[in-house]
Amino acid sequence: MRTIVGFFAAFITLLALWLALVGNLDPQEIAAGSIVAVAVAVIARGAPFTGRSLRFLHPRRLVTALVYIPYLLWSIVESNVDVALRVIDPSLPIRPGIVRVRTRLKNPVARLVLANSITLTPGTLTVDLCEDELCIHWVDVQARNIDEATKKIVTGFERFLEVIFE
Amino acid sequence: MNNPVLILELALVLAGAAALLAVWRLLKGPGPFNRAVAMDVLGLVTMPMMAALALYSGRGIYLDVALVYAVLSFLGVTALARYADRGL
Amino acid sequence: MGNHEMIGAVVTLVGSVFLFLGALGIVRMPDLYNRMQAGTKATTLGNLMALLGIGIIHPAWLIKLVLIALFVLITNPLSSHALARSARRSGVPLADVTVRDEYEEVLVEKGIEP
């Protein structure tokens, strides 16, 4: 049952992506897209779509995800302005360093999204992920210990991701 | 400054300058990792330039070129990182 | 010349400014990791805004341009993360201004000499 749901979730996503790229609903395109989507869904069965994909349609997760996207985009804009200002400043004001932070997230996809979100935001870049800790390169280190760093870098995203994935 | 074409051309000049800076880093290095970063940036700069080219020539097919370039740029950088990590 | 063309052109111009600053960052920054900070951030937003701006000028291409932008948004952190990790493991040095490196102890624990 789980594999069937996973297969259809993958198939529908791939076909939608195909049609969006092709840009029209010509029967020929739908036929070709379906064949490719079935092939890819069979080859990639098991990952990344599993039978549990459907639980992401729960309204609470969906709404949180919809709030998370603008939150992330805004963080990206902030991060870009911050880094850009540092680059054009003649004195190049950076205090770089690699710090460790903790995460409460257990779900691997949630951790992936967290690591990617951190990489996309103010002066932080995820270097490695080991067990419950992430090692993060920070352009302007503003924390003295792991708890402070966790609060500054991780907590904002974790709030959302906990609801979406856990 | 009320002509969209003029603004677009200014944008292209800036993007071209960005590409030159990336090429400078690509030539200077030092080492494969700095060059990979330069390639990554070059890819990110080239993609919108391709889209602008599509706009100028009125040919949507160049957008597919930009898409494929995005895929190849990602694969190239990731493959290099993996290779440096543990060999292919 | 419609209004949307003007808006799209301005968005593209702002994107190009970020592209330029990101590229300037990879020239000015002192070590690989800081170059990646400039290269993978300022250029990502620049890239997204420039693509979006062209989409606004030519709305028929908007869906495809948004898909390209989404692809960049998803894959770019992945490749920069992989690059940063393998660079640190291969011993690419941090700049002298670096205030702290808590990753070294993790690597030593794992038996990898950076």
Side-chain angles (χ1 to χ4, degrees):
Chain A
M1 181 60 201
R2 279 192 165 185
T3 33
I4 293 171
V5 173
F7 175 82
F8 275 104
F11 173 75
I12 290 167
T13 313
L14 290 166
L15 187 60
L17 183 64
W18 173 283
L19 292 174
L21 280 174
V22 168
N24 63 51
L25 290 172
D26 193 282
Q28 273 189 20
E29 302 288 7
I30 295 176
S34 304
I35 294 167
V36 177
V38 167
V40 176
V42 168
I43 293 167
R45 66 185 173 279
F49 291 95
T50 63
R52 301 199 302 166
S53 303
L54 279 183
R55 78 201 176 105
F56 290 119
L57 296 178
H58 187 286
R60 189 151 157 265
R61 296 182 202 275
L62 271 184
V63 169
T64 315
L66 284 179
V67 179
Y68 182 65
I69 291 167
Y71 175 79
L72 178 63
L73 287 176
W74 177 244
S75 305
I76 292 172
V77 172
E78 264 185 332
S79 108
N80 277 280
V81 173
D82 182 69
V83 173
L85 288 178
R86 285 176 201 281
V87 168
I88 43 176
D89 191 318
S91 64
L92 205 66
I94 55 171
R95 290 178 74 236
I98 301 181
V99 297
R100 287 157 77 165
V101 295
R102 277 190 215 98
T103 174
R104 294 198 301 267
L105 300 171
K106 296 277 177 262
N107 183 311
V109 182
R111 287 184 172 191
L112 172 77
V113 176
L114 176 69
N116 279 4
S117 304
I118 288 172
T119 303
L120 284 165
T121 42
T124 51
L125 179 114
T126 312
V127 179
D128 207 351
L129 184 81
C130 27
E131 285 157 38
D132 288 342
E133 290 183 353
L134 295 109
C135 290
I136 288 169
H137 183 269
W138 203 350
V139 155
D140 186 39
V141 177
Q142 293 167 2
R144 272 156 307 186
N145 55 48
I146 184 165
D147 293 314
E148 229 176 293
T150 305
K151 206 172 167 196
K152 283 206 165 118
I153 299 176
V154 177
T155 309
F157 297 121
E158 218 172 43
R159 279 202 321 255
F160 291 95
L161 295 175
E162 252 174 354
V163 181
I164 300 174
F165 290 101
E166 299 287 312
Chain B
M1 283 298 283
N2 50 12
N3 185 353
V5 177
L6 209 69
I7 295 177
L8 260 187
E9 278 167 359
L10 186 61
L12 266 180
V13 169
L14 271 174
L20 284 179
L21 290 173
V23 169
W24 185 82
R25 178 54 72 194
L26 186 64
L27 293 176
K28 189 158 181 285
F33 290 106
N34 280 294
R35 294 196 165 93
V37 172
M39 270 314 281
D40 205 10
V41 174
L42 197 57
L44 286 167
V45 175
T46 317
M47 260 178 259
M49 287 175 89
M50 284 175 180
L53 184 66
L55 200 63
Y56 272 100
S57 60
R59 296 175 138 200
I61 191 82
Y62 290 152
L63 296 183
D64 297 297
V65 181
L67 181 61
V68 173
Y69 194 62
V71 176
L72 288 180
S73 171
F74 166 63
L75 286 179
V77 173
T78 313
L80 186 129
R82 291 266 142 181
Y83 175 68
D85 230 13
R86 67 188 79 143
L88 281 177
Chain C
M1 286 295 168
N3 207 9
H4 65 100
E5 293 184 340
M6 197 64 208
I7 297 168
V10 171
V11 172
T12 309
L13 181 64
V14 176
S16 316
V17 172
F18 279 113
L19 282 177
F20 178 75
L21 292 177
L24 191 65
I26 67 164
V27 171
R28 285 198 71 197
M29 289 294 196
D31 69 357
L32 176 81
Y33 308 95
N34 289 304
R35 278 172 205 145
M36 293 182 73
Q37 296 275 15
T40 62
K41 277 175 223 318
T43 46
T44 308
L45 184 71
N47 179 289
L48 299 182
M49 287 186 77
L51 289 175
L52 190 70
I54 289 167
I56 294 170
I57 296 172
H58 199 302
W61 294 347
L62 191 59
I63 293 177
K64 192 174 268 186
L65 285 163
V66 167
L67 283 176
I68 298 176
L70 270 181
F71 182 82
V72 171
L73 204 58
I74 294 168
T75 59
N76 200 50
L78 288 175
S79 61
S80 50
H81 157 66
L83 201 61
R85 191 174 71 156
S86 66
R88 191 69 193 90
R89 290 185 173 200
S90 331
V92 175
L94 292 141
D96 295 337
V97 285
T98 305
V99 290
R100 159 146 60 122
D101 181 12
E102 293 174 5
Y103 188 41
E104 191 159 0
E105 50 206 79
V106 178
L107 288 177
V108 170
E109 256 172 51
K110 286 185 179 174
I112 305 162
E113 279 304 317

